[in-house]
Amino acid sequence: MPGDLAVIIPAFNEAERVGATVRAAASLPGADLVVVVDDGSADDTAAVAERAGAHVVRHARNRGKAAALETGAEAVRLLESAAVNGAASGAGVAPHYLLFLDADLGETAAQAGPLAEPVRQGTADMTIAVFSNRVRRGGFGIVTATAGAGIERATGWRPAQPVNGQRCLTRAAFEAALPLAAGWGVETGLTIDVLRRGLRITEVEVPLAHRATGQDWRSQVHRARQLAGITRALAVREPAIQRAKLRARQQNRARARRPGSS
């Protein structure tokens, strides 16, 4: 396995676009593993992804994006172990960097390579994509604003696109954030947990593009589910946030009481 990059693609009823996404992801520099996690699809997502060259893992039922990402990362670990056991020399295989891409990126997934560079170079433990080609998605910004404000409240930093799922990270950073926040709160929780463990995040502008989300009732239901997932992820982390702020206040007061403090 000469590459260093494993691409993990969670997919739910994405037969129309997942094939193009897999082929584009496989062309990325250093990408020698592309794993698609079919999260209980009712269409031909798994078959299309397999024909495109991906390793496919299937959930018997829809378990949500966070579960799909965890399944994909575990599949990569097992493939790495198989490579070690099959190597004639017995040489070890270094853990891959994990690149998460959404299944609906299509051919634009071939432009995701810059997300891996800061992680490879050791200047970041995780990168988050900032799409240079913004598609008007028909929403009112409530989901993004809620996630951004929550991350800023927890960490003091606000990402430009807090719910962007296109991310590259080290195996150590991924494991530091386990278990992932459930469902659609996964990106918000992942950002907070990585930062609170003292790891580094860098944003990278890339020319990727999703399928646009519309304004019909299905799109509004999707946004409502996103908002609910983000709200749950923030609520779960709120006690820890308050404890961290209390510790910071106590440390500041202790420093102020020391002789010679200004």
Side-chain angles (χ1 to χ4, degrees):
M1 297 172 69
D4 64 352
L5 188 66
V7 184
I8 298 172
I9 303 173
F12 177 63
N13 292 338
E14 289 288 355
E16 182 179 343
R17 300 191 61 152
V18 71
T21 303
V22 167
R23 288 187 290 271
S27 72
L28 293 170
D32 62 350
L33 283 177
V34 179
V35 175
V36 170
V37 181
D38 177 11
D39 191 26
S41 297
D43 63 5
D44 293 331
T45 291
V48 171
E50 194 166 27
R51 286 197 297 269
H55 297 272
V56 177
V57 184
R58 298 195 68 180
H59 288 168
R61 59 178 177 82
N62 182 256
R63 295 170 53 193
K65 188 173 185 180
L69 296 182
E70 291 182 358
T71 294
E74 178 62 11
V76 169
R77 189 189 66 79
L78 293 173
L79 289 167
E80 290 170 345
S81 296
V84 171
N85 294 333
S89 64
V93 175
H96 284 67
Y97 303 116
L98 306 179
L99 176 62
F100 297 139
L101 297 179
D102 290 344
D104 64 351
L105 293 175
E107 295 176 354
T108 71
Q111 306 301 317
L115 284 169
E117 291 311 310
V119 181
R120 280 194 179 109
Q121 294 165 8
T123 59
D125 301 291
M126 182 171 78
T127 58
I128 302 175
V130 176
F131 286 1
S132 55
N133 301 322
R134 298 298 299 275
V135 176
R136 183 171 179 81
R137 300 177 70 85
F140 302 100
I142 296 174
V143 170
T144 298
T146 300
I151 293 169
E152 186 174 26
R153 171 179 167 80
T155 68
W157 176 70
R158 186 165 186 151
Q161 294 181 11
V163 296
N164 198 313
Q166 324 322 303
R167 300 173 180 227
C168 186
L169 66 169
T170 64
R171 168 69 68 169
F174 178 77
E175 292 179 351
L178 292 176
L180 300 180
W184 293 109
V186 60
E187 290 90 2
T188 301
L190 183 57
T191 302
I192 292 172
D193 293 342
V194 165
L195 287 174
R196 284 176 50 208
R197 284 160 177 77
L199 302 176
R200 302 156 300 167
I201 296 178
T202 297
E203 294 180 295
V204 179
E205 186 171 299
V206 284
L208 305 180
H210 280 296
R211 177 180 54 242
T213 303
Q215 292 181 309
D216 59 13
W217 68 269
R218 289 185 180 87
S219 300
Q220 299 305 331
V221 168
H222 171 68
R223 291 190 185 93
R225 288 173 177 166
Q226 277 188 303
L227 185 60
I230 290 165
T231 301
R232 283 195 297 271
L234 293 172
V236 167
R237 285 155 181 79
E238 183 65 22
I241 294 168
Q242 293 304 322
R243 287 195 297 271
K245 290 182 176 181
L246 177 60
R247 284 195 298 271
R249 287 195 295 268
Q250 291 171 338
Q251 290 168 359
N252 289 336
R253 286 197 293 267
R255 281 194 293 268
R257 288 195 296 267
R258 290 172 188 163
S261 299
S262 56

